[in-house]
PDB file of all heavy atoms in Angstrom:
ATOM      1  N   MET A   1     107.026 189.863 108.133  1.00 94.00           N
ATOM      2  CA  MET A   1     107.093 189.345 109.510  1.00 94.00           C
ATOM      3  C   MET A   1     107.340 187.842 109.468  1.00 94.00           C
ATOM      4  O   MET A   1     106.849 187.153 108.592  1.00 94.00           O
ATOM      5  CB  MET A   1     105.853 189.706 110.322  1.00 94.00           C
ATOM      6  CG  MET A   1     104.605 188.911 110.073  1.00 94.00           C
ATOM      7  SD  MET A   1     103.286 189.296 111.243  1.00 94.00           S
ATOM      8  CE  MET A   1     102.457 190.623 110.396  1.00 94.00           C
ATOM      9  N   ARG A   2     108.127 187.366 110.438  1.00 94.00           N
ATOM     10  CA  ARG A   2     108.509 185.954 110.438  1.00 94.00           C
ATOM     11  C   ARG A   2     107.411 185.039 110.963  1.00 94.00           C
ATOM     12  O   ARG A   2     107.355 183.866 110.601  1.00 94.00           O
ATOM     13  CB  ARG A   2     109.765 185.748 111.306  1.00 94.00           C
ATOM     14  CG  ARG A   2     110.992 186.377 110.758  1.00 94.00           C
ATOM     15  CD  ARG A   2     112.264 185.916 111.461  1.00 94.00           C
ATOM     16  NE  ARG A   2     112.255 185.872 112.898  1.00 94.00           N
ATOM     17  CZ  ARG A   2     112.644 186.872 113.697  1.00 94.00           C
ATOM     18  NH1 ARG A   2     113.064 188.013 113.177  1.00 94.00           N
ATOM     19  NH2 ARG A   2     112.627 186.728 115.011  1.00 94.00           N
ATOM     20  N   HIS A   3     106.549 185.524 111.827  1.00 94.00           N
ATOM     21  CA  HIS A   3     105.562 184.657 112.475  1.00 94.00           C
ATOM     22  C   HIS A   3     104.140 185.211 112.362  1.00 94.00           C
ATOM     23  O   HIS A   3     103.483 185.479 113.372  1.00 94.00           O
ATOM     24  CB  HIS A   3     105.934 184.455 113.945  1.00 94.00           C
ATOM     25  CG  HIS A   3     107.219 183.746 114.146  1.00 94.00           C
ATOM     26  ND1 HIS A   3     107.349 182.391 113.978  1.00 94.00           N
ATOM     27  CD2 HIS A   3     108.454 184.212 114.469  1.00 94.00           C
ATOM     28  CE1 HIS A   3     108.600 182.041 114.207  1.00 94.00           C
ATOM     29  NE2 HIS A   3     109.293 183.133 114.500  1.00 94.00           N
ATOM     30  N   PRO A   4     103.631 185.376 111.146  1.00 93.00           N
ATOM     31  CA  PRO A   4     102.280 185.933 111.022  1.00 93.00           C
ATOM     32  C   PRO A   4     101.198 185.034 111.614  1.00 93.00           C
ATOM     33  O   PRO A   4     100.231 185.536 112.180  1.00 93.00           O
ATOM     34  CB  PRO A   4     102.107 186.111 109.511  1.00 93.00           C
ATOM     35  CG  PRO A   4     103.089 185.183 108.895  1.00 93.00           C
ATOM     36  CD  PRO A   4     104.244 185.102 109.844  1.00 93.00           C
ATOM     37  N   MET A   5     101.361 183.708 111.520  1.00 90.00           N
ATOM     38  CA  MET A   5     100.347 182.828 112.098  1.00 90.00           C
ATOM     39  C   MET A   5     100.309 182.992 113.616  1.00 90.00           C
ATOM     40  O   MET A   5      99.236 183.009 114.219  1.00 90.00           O
ATOM     41  CB  MET A   5     100.599 181.372 111.743  1.00 90.00           C
ATOM     42  CG  MET A   5      99.492 180.455 112.241  1.00 90.00           C
ATOM     43  SD  MET A   5      99.671 178.746 111.771  1.00 90.00           S
ATOM     44  CE  MET A   5      99.372 178.819 110.017  1.00 90.00           C
ATOM     45  N   HIS A   6     101.470 183.163 114.222  1.00 92.00           N
ATOM     46  CA  HIS A   6     101.500 183.339 115.666  1.00 92.00           C
ATOM     47  C   HIS A   6     100.909 184.683 116.089  1.00 92.00           C
ATOM     48  O   HIS A   6     100.390 184.803 117.197  1.00 92.00           O
ATOM     49  CB  HIS A   6     102.930 183.180 116.194  1.00 92.00           C
ATOM     50  CG  HIS A   6     103.406 181.772 116.109  1.00 92.00           C
ATOM     51  ND1 HIS A   6     104.167 181.319 115.071  1.00 92.00           N
ATOM     52  CD2 HIS A   6     103.192 180.715 116.917  1.00 92.00           C
ATOM     53  CE1 HIS A   6     104.426 180.046 115.255  1.00 92.00           C
ATOM     54  NE2 HIS A   6     103.841 179.647 116.354  1.00 92.00           N
ATOM     55  N   LEU A   7     100.974 185.674 115.223  1.00 92.00           N
ATOM     56  CA  LEU A   7     100.308 186.942 115.525  1.00 92.00           C
ATOM     57  C   LEU A   7      98.815 186.699 115.695  1.00 92.00           C
ATOM     58  O   LEU A   7      98.189 187.205 116.628  1.00 92.00           O
ATOM     59  CB  LEU A   7     100.569 187.977 114.427  1.00 92.00           C
ATOM     60  CG  LEU A   7      99.895 189.327 114.640  1.00 92.00           C
ATOM     61  CD1 LEU A   7     100.430 190.020 115.883  1.00 92.00           C
ATOM     62  CD2 LEU A   7     100.094 190.218 113.423  1.00 92.00           C
ATOM     63  N   GLY A   8      98.249 185.903 114.804  1.00 90.00           N
ATOM     64  CA  GLY A   8      96.837 185.544 114.945  1.00 90.00           C
ATOM     65  C   GLY A   8      96.569 184.756 116.211  1.00 90.00           C
ATOM     66  O   GLY A   8      95.598 185.005 116.931  1.00 90.00           O
ATOM     67  N   LEU A   9      97.457 183.812 116.511  1.00 91.00           N
ATOM     68  CA  LEU A   9      97.273 182.992 117.706  1.00 91.00           C
ATOM     69  C   LEU A   9      97.408 183.806 118.992  1.00 91.00           C
ATOM     70  O   LEU A   9      96.810 183.453 120.009  1.00 91.00           O
ATOM     71  CB  LEU A   9      98.264 181.828 117.700  1.00 91.00           C
ATOM     72  CG  LEU A   9      98.027 180.790 116.606  1.00 91.00           C
ATOM     73  CD1 LEU A   9      99.113 179.724 116.637  1.00 91.00           C
ATOM     74  CD2 LEU A   9      96.646 180.169 116.701  1.00 91.00           C
ATOM     75  N   LEU A  10      98.166 184.899 118.939  1.00 93.00           N
ATOM     76  CA  LEU A  10      98.267 185.786 120.110  1.00 93.00           C
ATOM     77  C   LEU A  10      96.910 186.388 120.464  1.00 93.00           C
ATOM     78  O   LEU A  10      96.644 186.713 121.621  1.00 93.00           O
ATOM     79  CB  LEU A  10      99.256 186.920 119.847  1.00 93.00           C
ATOM     80  CG  LEU A  10     100.729 186.576 119.922  1.00 93.00           C
ATOM     81  CD1 LEU A  10     101.563 187.737 119.402  1.00 93.00           C
ATOM     82  CD2 LEU A  10     101.129 186.229 121.336  1.00 93.00           C
ATOM     83  N   LEU A  11      96.060 186.545 119.458  1.00 95.00           N
ATOM     84  CA  LEU A  11      94.738 187.135 119.671  1.00 95.00           C
ATOM     85  C   LEU A  11      93.697 186.119 120.143  1.00 95.00           C
ATOM     86  O   LEU A  11      92.619 186.505 120.584  1.00 95.00           O
ATOM     87  CB  LEU A  11      94.248 187.793 118.375  1.00 95.00           C
ATOM     88  CG  LEU A  11      95.071 188.963 117.862  1.00 95.00           C
ATOM     89  CD1 LEU A  11      94.572 189.392 116.487  1.00 95.00           C
ATOM     90  CD2 LEU A  11      95.026 190.114 118.840  1.00 95.00           C
ATOM     91  N   PHE A  12      94.020 184.828 120.032  1.00 95.00           N
ATOM     92  CA  PHE A  12      93.024 183.808 120.375  1.00 95.00           C
ATOM     93  C   PHE A  12      92.578 183.858 121.836  1.00 95.00           C
ATOM     94  O   PHE A  12      91.363 183.809 122.112  1.00 95.00           O
ATOM     95  CB  PHE A  12      93.518 182.413 119.991  1.00 95.00           C
ATOM     96  CG  PHE A  12      92.449 181.370 120.126  1.00 95.00           C
ATOM     97  CD1 PHE A  12      91.387 181.333 119.240  1.00 95.00           C
ATOM     98  CD2 PHE A  12      92.476 180.469 121.169  1.00 95.00           C
ATOM     99  CE1 PHE A  12      90.383 180.390 119.370  1.00 95.00           C
ATOM    100  CE2 PHE A  12      91.480 179.519 121.315  1.00 95.00           C
ATOM    101  CZ  PHE A  12      90.431 179.480 120.413  1.00 95.00           C
ATOM    102  N   PRO A  13      93.492 183.955 122.822  1.00 96.00           N
ATOM    103  CA  PRO A  13      93.007 184.062 124.209  1.00 96.00           C
ATOM    104  C   PRO A  13      92.088 185.266 124.431  1.00 96.00           C
ATOM    105  O   PRO A  13      91.079 185.156 125.137  1.00 96.00           O
ATOM    106  CB  PRO A  13      94.295 184.188 125.036  1.00 96.00           C
ATOM    107  CG  PRO A  13      95.349 183.548 124.197  1.00 96.00           C
ATOM    108  CD  PRO A  13      94.963 183.863 122.769  1.00 96.00           C
ATOM    109  N   LEU A  14      92.403 186.392 123.799  1.00 96.00           N
ATOM    110  CA  LEU A  14      91.540 187.560 123.923  1.00 96.00           C
ATOM    111  C   LEU A  14      90.166 187.292 123.319  1.00 96.00           C
ATOM    112  O   LEU A  14      89.138 187.666 123.903  1.00 96.00           O
ATOM    113  CB  LEU A  14      92.180 188.781 123.255  1.00 96.00           C
ATOM    114  CG  LEU A  14      91.337 190.046 123.245  1.00 96.00           C
ATOM    115  CD1 LEU A  14      91.025 190.513 124.668  1.00 96.00           C
ATOM    116  CD2 LEU A  14      92.019 191.137 122.447  1.00 96.00           C
ATOM    117  N   SER A  15      90.133 186.632 122.162  1.00 97.00           N
ATOM    118  CA  SER A  15      88.833 186.347 121.543  1.00 97.00           C
ATOM    119  C   SER A  15      87.994 185.447 122.441  1.00 97.00           C
ATOM    120  O   SER A  15      86.800 185.688 122.615  1.00 97.00           O
ATOM    121  CB  SER A  15      89.007 185.733 120.150  1.00 97.00           C
ATOM    122  OG  SER A  15      89.526 184.424 120.221  1.00 97.00           O
ATOM    123  N   LEU A  16      88.611 184.435 123.030  1.00 96.00           N
ATOM    124  CA  LEU A  16      87.877 183.547 123.935  1.00 96.00           C
ATOM    125  C   LEU A  16      87.399 184.308 125.167  1.00 96.00           C
ATOM    126  O   LEU A  16      86.258 184.150 125.603  1.00 96.00           O
ATOM    127  CB  LEU A  16      88.754 182.360 124.337  1.00 96.00           C
ATOM    128  CG  LEU A  16      88.118 181.339 125.261  1.00 96.00           C
ATOM    129  CD1 LEU A  16      86.866 180.736 124.644  1.00 96.00           C
ATOM    130  CD2 LEU A  16      89.119 180.250 125.605  1.00 96.00           C
ATOM    131  N   ALA A  17      88.261 185.158 125.718  1.00 96.00           N
ATOM    132  CA  ALA A  17      87.888 185.953 126.888  1.00 96.00           C
ATOM    133  C   ALA A  17      86.689 186.845 126.584  1.00 96.00           C
ATOM    134  O   ALA A  17      85.769 186.969 127.398  1.00 96.00           O
ATOM    135  CB  ALA A  17      89.081 186.797 127.342  1.00 96.00           C
ATOM    136  N   LEU A  18      86.701 187.467 125.408  1.00 97.00           N
ATOM    137  CA  LEU A  18      85.575 188.319 125.008  1.00 97.00           C
ATOM    138  C   LEU A  18      84.313 187.493 124.776  1.00 97.00           C
ATOM    139  O   LEU A  18      83.216 187.916 125.152  1.00 97.00           O
ATOM    140  CB  LEU A  18      85.938 189.110 123.753  1.00 97.00           C
ATOM    141  CG  LEU A  18      86.969 190.218 123.944  1.00 97.00           C
ATOM    142  CD1 LEU A  18      87.537 190.668 122.604  1.00 97.00           C
ATOM    143  CD2 LEU A  18      86.364 191.385 124.702  1.00 97.00           C
ATOM    144  N   LEU A  19      84.465 186.332 124.169  1.00 97.00           N
ATOM    145  CA  LEU A  19      83.297 185.489 123.897  1.00 97.00           C
ATOM    146  C   LEU A  19      82.606 185.041 125.193  1.00 97.00           C
ATOM    147  O   LEU A  19      81.372 185.019 125.249  1.00 97.00           O
ATOM    148  CB  LEU A  19      83.693 184.265 123.070  1.00 97.00           C
ATOM    149  CG  LEU A  19      84.036 184.532 121.610  1.00 97.00           C
ATOM    150  CD1 LEU A  19      84.638 183.295 120.964  1.00 97.00           C
ATOM    151  CD2 LEU A  19      82.815 185.005 120.838  1.00 97.00           C
ATOM    152  N   ILE A  20      83.391 184.698 126.202  1.00 95.00           N
ATOM    153  CA  ILE A  20      82.755 184.269 127.461  1.00 95.00           C
ATOM    154  C   ILE A  20      82.416 185.454 128.357  1.00 95.00           C
ATOM    155  O   ILE A  20      81.718 185.286 129.342  1.00 95.00           O
ATOM    156  CB  ILE A  20      83.601 183.224 128.225  1.00 95.00           C
ATOM    157  CG1 ILE A  20      84.915 183.803 128.706  1.00 95.00           C
ATOM    158  CG2 ILE A  20      83.809 181.979 127.392  1.00 95.00           C
ATOM    159  CD1 ILE A  20      85.676 182.882 129.636  1.00 95.00           C
ATOM    160  N   GLY A  21      82.901 186.636 128.009  1.00 94.00           N
ATOM    161  CA  GLY A  21      82.548 187.846 128.763  1.00 94.00           C
ATOM    162  C   GLY A  21      83.176 187.919 130.132  1.00 94.00           C
ATOM    163  O   GLY A  21      82.544 188.385 131.079  1.00 94.00           O
ATOM    164  N   SER A  22      84.420 187.461 130.251  1.00 95.00           N
ATOM    165  CA  SER A  22      85.113 187.493 131.539  1.00 95.00           C
ATOM    166  C   SER A  22      86.093 188.652 131.561  1.00 95.00           C
ATOM    167  O   SER A  22      87.121 188.625 130.889  1.00 95.00           O
ATOM    168  CB  SER A  22      85.867 186.173 131.771  1.00 95.00           C
ATOM    169  OG  SER A  22      86.739 186.302 132.869  1.00 95.00           O
ATOM    170  N   LEU A  23      85.793 189.663 132.356  1.00 95.00           N
ATOM    171  CA  LEU A  23      86.652 190.836 132.440  1.00 95.00           C
ATOM    172  C   LEU A  23      88.027 190.478 133.024  1.00 95.00           C
ATOM    173  O   LEU A  23      89.046 191.012 132.585  1.00 95.00           O
ATOM    174  CB  LEU A  23      85.982 191.933 133.265  1.00 95.00           C
ATOM    175  CG  LEU A  23      86.600 193.323 133.146  1.00 95.00           C
ATOM    176  CD1 LEU A  23      86.639 193.796 131.699  1.00 95.00           C
ATOM    177  CD2 LEU A  23      85.833 194.313 134.001  1.00 95.00           C
ATOM    178  N   SER A  24      88.069 189.548 133.969  1.00 95.00           N
ATOM    179  CA  SER A  24      89.351 189.105 134.526  1.00 95.00           C
ATOM    180  C   SER A  24      90.203 188.439 133.448  1.00 95.00           C
ATOM    181  O   SER A  24      91.415 188.646 133.385  1.00 95.00           O
ATOM    182  CB  SER A  24      89.126 188.121 135.667  1.00 95.00           C
ATOM    183  OG  SER A  24      88.378 188.704 136.693  1.00 95.00           O
ATOM    184  N   PHE A  25      89.570 187.626 132.619  1.00 96.00           N
ATOM    185  CA  PHE A  25      90.277 186.961 131.526  1.00 96.00           C
ATOM    186  C   PHE A  25      90.761 188.011 130.521  1.00 96.00           C
ATOM    187  O   PHE A  25      91.905 187.962 130.058  1.00 96.00           O
ATOM    188  CB  PHE A  25      89.346 185.939 130.871  1.00 96.00           C
ATOM    189  CG  PHE A  25      90.003 184.903 130.000  1.00 96.00           C
ATOM    190  CD1 PHE A  25      89.253 183.840 129.519  1.00 96.00           C
ATOM    191  CD2 PHE A  25      91.342 184.951 129.646  1.00 96.00           C
ATOM    192  CE1 PHE A  25      89.818 182.860 128.710  1.00 96.00           C
ATOM    193  CE2 PHE A  25      91.923 183.982 128.838  1.00 96.00           C
ATOM    194  CZ  PHE A  25      91.159 182.934 128.370  1.00 96.00           C
ATOM    195  N   ILE A  26      89.908 188.979 130.208  1.00 96.00           N
ATOM    196  CA  ILE A  26      90.255 190.019 129.234  1.00 96.00           C
ATOM    197  C   ILE A  26      91.436 190.860 129.723  1.00 96.00           C
ATOM    198  O   ILE A  26      92.383 191.105 128.970  1.00 96.00           O
ATOM    199  CB  ILE A  26      89.031 190.932 128.952  1.00 96.00           C
ATOM    200  CG1 ILE A  26      87.922 190.156 128.243  1.00 96.00           C
ATOM    201  CG2 ILE A  26      89.449 192.156 128.123  1.00 96.00           C
ATOM    202  CD1 ILE A  26      86.567 190.873 128.228  1.00 96.00           C
ATOM    203  N   LEU A  27      91.387 191.309 130.977  1.00 95.00           N
ATOM    204  CA  LEU A  27      92.375 192.268 131.487  1.00 95.00           C
ATOM    205  C   LEU A  27      93.644 191.649 132.049  1.00 95.00           C
ATOM    206  O   LEU A  27      94.700 192.285 132.021  1.00 95.00           O
ATOM    207  CB  LEU A  27      91.731 193.136 132.577  1.00 95.00           C
ATOM    208  CG  LEU A  27      90.575 194.013 132.145  1.00 95.00           C
ATOM    209  CD1 LEU A  27      89.990 194.744 133.342  1.00 95.00           C
ATOM    210  CD2 LEU A  27      91.002 194.990 131.058  1.00 95.00           C
ATOM    211  N   VAL A  28      93.563 190.420 132.576  1.00 96.00           N
ATOM    212  CA  VAL A  28      94.713 189.832 133.259  1.00 96.00           C
ATOM    213  C   VAL A  28      95.212 188.562 132.562  1.00 96.00           C
ATOM    214  O   VAL A  28      96.378 188.459 132.182  1.00 96.00           O
ATOM    215  CB  VAL A  28      94.371 189.516 134.742  1.00 96.00           C
ATOM    216  CG1 VAL A  28      95.536 188.853 135.446  1.00 96.00           C
ATOM    217  CG2 VAL A  28      93.946 190.777 135.477  1.00 96.00           C
ATOM    218  N   ILE A  29      94.331 187.599 132.397  1.00 96.00           N
ATOM    219  CA  ILE A  29      94.759 186.273 131.943  1.00 96.00           C
ATOM    220  C   ILE A  29      95.151 186.270 130.468  1.00 96.00           C
ATOM    221  O   ILE A  29      96.208 185.728 130.105  1.00 96.00           O
ATOM    222  CB  ILE A  29      93.658 185.233 132.239  1.00 96.00           C
ATOM    223  CG1 ILE A  29      93.407 185.182 133.752  1.00 96.00           C
ATOM    224  CG2 ILE A  29      94.047 183.854 131.707  1.00 96.00           C
ATOM    225  CD1 ILE A  29      92.138 184.489 134.152  1.00 96.00           C
TER     226      ILE A  29
END
């Protein structure tokens, strides 16, 4: 894959959303 680091970075917003426990952030943002 050409952008493996960006694959990890794609997961960062989800990790933050899960850490703060915001369902709106998890499902939409």
Side-chain angles (χ1 to χ4, degrees):
M1 77 173 90
R2 293 192 314 268
H3 296 284
M5 185 176 290
H6 290 97
L7 179 64
L9 293 177
L10 283 170
L11 297 173
F12 189 71
L14 176 61
S15 70
L16 181 59
L18 289 164
L19 288 170
I20 65 171
S22 168
L23 195 57
S24 300
F25 197 171
I26 294 166
L27 297 177
V28 178
I29 299 165

